[in-house]
């Protein structure tokens, strides 16, 4: 498929909002691993969500069939994306909505700013939206003198603490309730100084803080979980009711949505409304599900806009191996089962989308052009748990391997262009190829096994290796090699057996 659709060219590998990692994953992960409170918070939260999900998924005898149906639907959408976008645009505008096309983060931010100013507002309320985080909308609006207030509780916590989300679905997963109480006492105007860390009291404090904003805001900004092509309908699923308030009270509603969120018809929701709540929060049904189709006179917002965002998606779509990453429904199931994410948290990934899906989605949207993004596909043990958990069967490990190969080939090409000497890995692989290419040469190498025994010392562990191999022993010990090889043992045993038979 072409990397350009509807006249929107594929984007270059830079200037993509908050998608670029701020530092290489290995350095960031090493730092985060030292945060014991973070690891305790993450371990408790991910295990709780994971256990709930397993229980409700086990209730459905056709869970795998639902996954297959979800994967097939999303693959069909990607194959028909230009056609479905045109169909959606026609139906959305026919019902009183206005479509805006945005090639990148900068264009999307300018569109939203202009719409807010046209409405005569200097503040907005927001429903949790990964797309607006991706383009850095809150930071941009602040620079333009417009205040954006997050209304999702976890997003509010992160915003008040001047922090960044650490999870797609539960942005404040890295904080416990005592930390939340301290943030409210420090940052929330008019909060009760005797506030405790009781969850009900914390929720009450956030409601009182936000109620004034809901009632006074002229403009609301939302994301969208789904867009239905055959009716021009948008949908948001959420758990707190704040989304319903934002979608119904203000006069102007602006939605920012990635172009991949389309579904062909309402019938397709039957599958996704079973997959999404079970995979995300371990619930059988989502507490609040809101749909709106254009403008209804006298009911709800009368000025309705949708910013359709590319921001690298057409480039990802052009990658035959990686395009299935665009099937993602942002459930976060892959993060809750990932052993790497559970220990490092989302901040270590550096970009908007953390965890296994972020390790493939961010490089696909921006291109593996920097050391920071190039390290993300290596932020995985390739255990496959993410693939097993994904409700739309995105083969994340396969895409990770594909992106690693792209990175290796890119580095090899750069080294050749600069006529640089081969690196340690190149030399090691060449040496291994030479040794393993001949049984005789392999036998010669095996003669050095006793040296490994000597290096291991009396405790039979090699704790430090030189050069590139030092990365292995930095976090684990290498067992001492055997005293002799299997080849040597077999030769001697066969010789002994022959001697006994002759005797």
């Amino acid at each position: 498929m072409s990397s350009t659709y509807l006249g929107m060219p594929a984007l270059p590998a830079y200037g993509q909002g908050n998608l670029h990692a701020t530092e290489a994953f290995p350095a960031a992960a090493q730092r985060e691993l030292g945060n014991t409170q973070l690891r305790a918070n993450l371990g408790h939260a991910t295990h709780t969500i994971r256990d709930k999900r397993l229980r409700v998924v086990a209730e459905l005898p056709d869970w795998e069939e639902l996954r297959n149906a979800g994967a097939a639907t999303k693959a069909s959408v990607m194959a028909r994306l230009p056609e479905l976008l045109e169909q959606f645009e026609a139906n959305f505008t026919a019902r009183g909505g206005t479509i805006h096309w945005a090639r990148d983060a900068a264009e999307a931010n300018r569109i939203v700013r202009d719409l807010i100013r046209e409405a005569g507002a200097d503040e907005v309320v927001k429903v949790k939206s990964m797309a607006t985080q991706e383009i850095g909308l809150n930071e941009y609006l602040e620079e333009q003198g417009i205040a954006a207030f997050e209304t999702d509780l976890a997003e509010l916590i992160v915003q008040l603490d001047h922090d960044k989300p650490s999870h797609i679905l539960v942005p404040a997963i890295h904080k416990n309730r005592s930390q939340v109480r301290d943030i409210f006492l420090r940052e929330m105007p008019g909060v009760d100084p005797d506030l405790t860390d009781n969850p009900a009291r914390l929720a009450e404090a956030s409601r009182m803080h936000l109620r004034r904003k809901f009632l006074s805001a002229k403009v609301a900004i939302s994301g969208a979980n789904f867009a239905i092509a055959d009716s021009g309908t948008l949908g948001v699923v959420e758990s707190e009711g704040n989304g319903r308030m934002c979608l119904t009270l203000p006069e102007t509603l602006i939605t920012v949505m990635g172009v991949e969120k389309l579904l062909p018809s309402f019938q397709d929701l039957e599958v996704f409304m079973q997959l999404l709540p079970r995979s995300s929060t371990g619930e059988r049904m989502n507490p609040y599900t809101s749909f709106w189709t254009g403008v209804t006179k006298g009911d709800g917002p009368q000025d309705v806009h949708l910013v359709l965002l590319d921001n690298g998606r057409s480039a990802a779509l052009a990658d035959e191996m990686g395009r299935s990453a665009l099937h993602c429904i942002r459930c976060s199931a892959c993060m809750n089962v990932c052993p790497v994410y559970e220990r490092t948290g989302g901040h270590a990934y550096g970009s908007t989308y953390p965890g296994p899906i972020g390790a493939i989605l961010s490089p696909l949207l921006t291109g593996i052009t920097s050391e920071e993004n190039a390290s993300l596909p290596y932020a995985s043990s390739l255990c496959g748990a993410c693939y097993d958990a994904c409700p739309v069967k995105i083969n994340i490990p396969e895409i990770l391997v594909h992106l690693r190969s792209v990175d290796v080939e890119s580095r090899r090409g750069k080294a050749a262009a600069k006529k640089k000497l081969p690196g340690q890995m190149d030399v090691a692989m060449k040496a291994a190829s030479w040794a393993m290419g001949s049984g005789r040469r392999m036998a010669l190498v095996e003669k050095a096994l006793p040296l490994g025994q000597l290096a291991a010392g009396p405790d039979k562990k090699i704790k430090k290796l030189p050069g590139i191999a030092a990365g292995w022993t930095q976090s684990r010990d290498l067992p001492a090699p055997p005293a002799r090889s299997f080849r040597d043992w077999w030769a001697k045993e066969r010789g002994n057996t022959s001697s006994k038979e002759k005797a």
Side-chain angles (χ1 to χ4, degrees):
M1 191 168 191
S2 169
S3 62
T4 305
Y5 57 87
L6 296 181
M8 296 173 64
L11 295 173
Y14 52 85
Q16 312 266 345
N18 290 342
L19 285 168
H20 274 301
T22 53
E23 64 178 323
F25 178 83
Q30 187 69 32
R31 183 182 62 253
E32 297 297 335
L33 283 170
N35 187 338
T36 55
Q37 183 65 65
L38 171 72
R39 294 178 67 175
N41 295 348
L42 284 171
H44 173 73
T46 55
H47 278 263
T48 300
I49 298 171
R50 189 159 70 225
D51 292 345
K52 284 179 63 180
R53 175 188 172 276
L54 288 173
R55 286 196 296 271
V56 296
V57 164
E59 297 172 353
L60 296 182
D62 61 344
W63 177 252
E64 287 306 313
E65 287 76 10
L66 285 168
R67 290 181 73 207
N68 289 334
T73 301
K74 296 300 285 187
S76 174
V77 168
M78 295 306 114
R80 301 168 52 206
L81 191 54
E83 166 200 338
L84 291 173
L85 284 168
E86 289 179 329
Q87 182 185 10
F88 178 85
E89 180 182 33
N91 288 320
F92 188 82
T93 54
R95 289 161 175 79
T98 304
I99 294 280
H100 308 266
W101 297 91
R103 291 178 174 83
D104 57 19
E107 191 168 357
N109 285 334
R110 286 196 299 269
I111 291 169
V112 174
R113 176 202 63 191
D114 292 345
L115 290 172
I116 295 170
R117 286 179 174 169
E118 287 173 14
D122 59 5
E123 65 179 37
V124 299
V125 288
K126 286 184 73 235
V127 188
K128 181 177 182 295
S129 163
M130 294 303 299
T132 59
Q133 288 176 16
E134 177 185 320
I135 63 177
L137 180 62
N138 285 12
E139 294 81 4
Y140 174 82
L141 292 180
E142 184 178 3
E143 292 173 359
Q144 302 297 313
I146 299 170
F149 296 96
E150 296 289 352
T151 63
D152 174 87
L153 177 56
E155 288 284 354
L156 174 64
I157 293 166
V158 170
Q159 186 180 42
L160 288 174
D161 199 33
H162 312 287
D163 195 3
K164 292 183 179 180
S166 184
H167 192 277
I168 287 176
L169 190 74
V170 193
I173 195 172
H174 55 299
K175 299 184 186 298
N176 60 33
R177 63 189 191 182
S178 295
Q179 291 172 308
V180 172
R181 176 203 58 205
D182 294 340
I183 293 166
F184 282 9
L185 288 171
R186 186 178 69 247
E187 300 288 341
M188 191 178 282
V191 70
D192 182 355
D194 296 323
L195 180 68
T196 69
D197 64 0
N198 178 276
R201 292 288 309 279
L202 295 173
E204 180 186 12
S206 67
R207 282 197 301 271
M208 296 300 294
H209 173 71
L210 290 171
R211 191 163 294 161
R212 293 185 295 273
K213 301 300 179 185
F214 285 133
L215 295 174
S216 63
K218 294 181 180 180
V219 179
I221 298 173
S222 83
N225 292 94
F226 306 108
I228 312 301
D230 68 356
S231 63
T233 299
L234 293 170
V236 162
V237 297
E238 39 103 9
S239 300
E240 300 169 18
N242 62 301
R244 185 72 54 84
M245 300 281 277
C246 289
L247 297 170
T248 55
L249 291 177
E251 183 69 18
T252 299
L253 174 60
I254 305 167
T255 301
V256 181
M257 183 189 80
V259 293
E260 79 281 11
K261 294 296 185 68
L262 286 176
L263 293 177
S265 69
F266 255 102
Q267 186 176 359
D268 299 306
L269 283 170
E270 178 185 356
V271 171
F272 289 93
M273 292 309 294
Q274 293 184 77
L275 291 173
L276 182 56
R278 283 176 168 83
S279 297
S280 57
T281 56
E283 295 169 303
R284 298 177 183 89
M285 178 188 288
N286 197 71
Y288 291 89
T289 302
S290 303
F291 294 103
W292 65 101
T293 307
V295 176
T296 301
K297 189 174 181 180
D299 182 15
Q302 299 298 292
D303 189 18
V304 176
H305 299 264
L306 171 63
V307 180
L308 280 169
L309 179 69
D310 183 338
N311 206 36
R313 286 160 175 80
S314 56
L317 194 64
D319 189 313
E320 187 174 350
M321 283 287 291
R323 69 174 59 139
S324 62
L326 295 176
H327 297 183
C328 178
I329 59 175
R330 308 294 193 266
C331 70
S332 75
C334 63
M335 300 167 64
N336 297 329
V337 299
C338 177
V340 176
Y341 173 84
E342 185 179 315
R343 287 157 179 79
T344 65
H347 291 163
Y349 293 81
S351 62
T352 302
Y353 301 103
I357 189 63
I360 62 173
L361 192 56
S362 294
L364 281 166
L365 293 178
T366 64
I368 302 182
T369 58
S370 67
E371 182 64 33
E372 292 78 15
N373 267 2
S375 70
L376 288 178
Y378 300 93
S380 169
S381 65
L382 300 180
C383 67
C386 51
Y387 181 35
D388 293 337
C390 179
V392 290
K393 303 186 80 169
I394 301 171
N395 195 335
I396 294 176
E398 182 178 75
I399 300 173
L400 286 168
V401 172
H402 161 63
L403 291 174
R404 290 179 185 187
S405 70
V406 172
D407 174 51
V408 169
E409 290 302 318
S410 171
R411 291 172 187 270
R412 185 173 294 162
K414 290 176 182 176
K418 294 181 179 179
K419 296 182 179 179
K420 291 177 66 176
L421 293 173
Q424 293 182 47
M425 181 61 76
D426 295 316
V427 173
M429 291 297 103
K430 280 285 187 183
S433 175
W434 174 85
M436 295 178 185
S438 160
R440 185 173 295 176
R441 290 197 292 267
M442 193 66 188
L444 183 63
V445 172
E446 289 168 352
K447 297 292 184 185
L449 285 175
L451 295 176
Q453 288 259 315
L454 187 63
D459 60 355
K460 303 298 183 184
K461 293 178 181 178
I462 298 175
K463 299 181 178 180
K464 191 172 183 180
L465 288 171
I468 195 171
W472 178 269
T473 52
Q474 185 177 16
S475 55
R476 60 182 71 78
D477 293 332
L478 185 67
R484 57 176 175 163
S485 68
F486 175 80
R487 186 192 310 272
D488 184 43
W489 175 86
W490 178 255
K492 289 182 179 178
E493 286 297 312
R494 189 169 57 179
N496 292 338
T497 301
S498 298
S499 299
K500 289 176 184 177
E501 289 174 352
K502 288 178 182 178

